Each structure stands twice: as C-alpha cells, then as structure tokens.
Amino acid sequence: QVQLVESGGGLVQAGGSLRLSCAASGRTFSILVMGWFRQAPGKEREFVARISWSGGNTYAADSVQGRFTISRDYAKNTVYLQMNNLKPEDTAVYYCAAIPGDTGKYDYWGQGTQVTVSS
C-alpha cells in the first residue's frame, strides 16, 4: 500500500502562485509514476501533470503548460506542483495519485486539497 497526503492548497488571487505538495509513504519503492489531477465543481476529474518516479520525466496538460511545473524530491518521497499565473478556471480540488509498477494504473489517491483562485 501507498499513502498519499496533499498540502499547500488555499485561496489566491488571479495571477498568483501556489505550490502543492504530495508526501508519499508506505511501499514507495513500488511507485512508477506520480500524477496530479483536479476536479472542479460539476465537472469530471481531469489530468494535470505527471512525473516518472525514477527518471523524472514530466508531462503536463495543454491547459497548464507554461504555468504549472511538476517536480519530485526522491529523497523526501514528495512530489510538488508549482502553479504560477493562476486563473479562476484553475479553481478545483487537486489530487495526487500514484501508479505502482505492478498494475500500470493510478491505484493510489490522496484526499485532495482545495485551490480557489479569485478574479
């Protein structure tokens, strides 16, 4: 099992920045990929960004390219999402998730952290 705990959400004005953190514990050696997702009220959950746990390769959705950066601190078992130039449409609950090497899908999820961007 892998446990994920997000932190860093809050209220920010448009154009501002926030950094989300996701601390992993448990069987972290089994993690292949870590990702960030978000879900706005009344909308489906959507992919934001992902990073390979060992190599650090990253990929981000078009909607956040150039504004959000995903990174990881391997020694701290922590993944970050640096969010700059935030827009009201970025308002959502942000979740981190992990893909273990044996299933190839996002099996582990955090509880989520609220990000609210005011105009």
Side-chain angles (χ1 to χ4, degrees):
Q1 291 286 335
V2 174
Q3 294 79 41
L4 303 173
V5 179
E6 303 99 333
S7 61
L11 173 64
V12 64
Q13 289 188 333
S17 298
L18 281 175
R19 188 177 80 156
L20 305 182
S21 300
C22 175
S25 60
R27 295 171 56 91
T28 56
F29 61 86
S30 69
I31 296 174
L32 190 63
V33 172
M34 293 282 290
W36 285 97
F37 292 77
R38 66 186 181 185
Q39 187 166 21
K43 295 187 178 181
E44 293 189 354
R45 185 172 58 199
E46 65 171 347
F47 167 80
V48 176
R50 68 170 184 259
I51 187 167
S52 64
W53 194 237
S54 59
N57 295 319
T58 64
Y59 177 78
D62 289 345
S63 58
V64 304
Q65 283 271 4
R67 299 188 299 122
F68 291 10
T69 302
I70 188 171
S71 62
R72 60 105 168 84
D73 185 324
Y74 197 75
K76 295 183 178 180
N77 290 326
T78 300
V79 172
Y80 303 98
L81 186 68
Q82 178 66 44
M83 306 185 294
N84 298 327
N85 191 22
L86 283 160
K87 303 176 182 181
E89 51 264 41
D90 294 319
T91 294
V93 177
Y94 283 71
Y95 300 90
C96 72
I99 297 178
D102 58 346
T103 67
K105 56 187 178 73
Y106 287 102
D107 278 344
Y108 301 110
W109 293 83
Q111 82 288 351
T113 185
Q114 177 71 47
V115 171
T116 303
V117 185
S118 63
S119 57

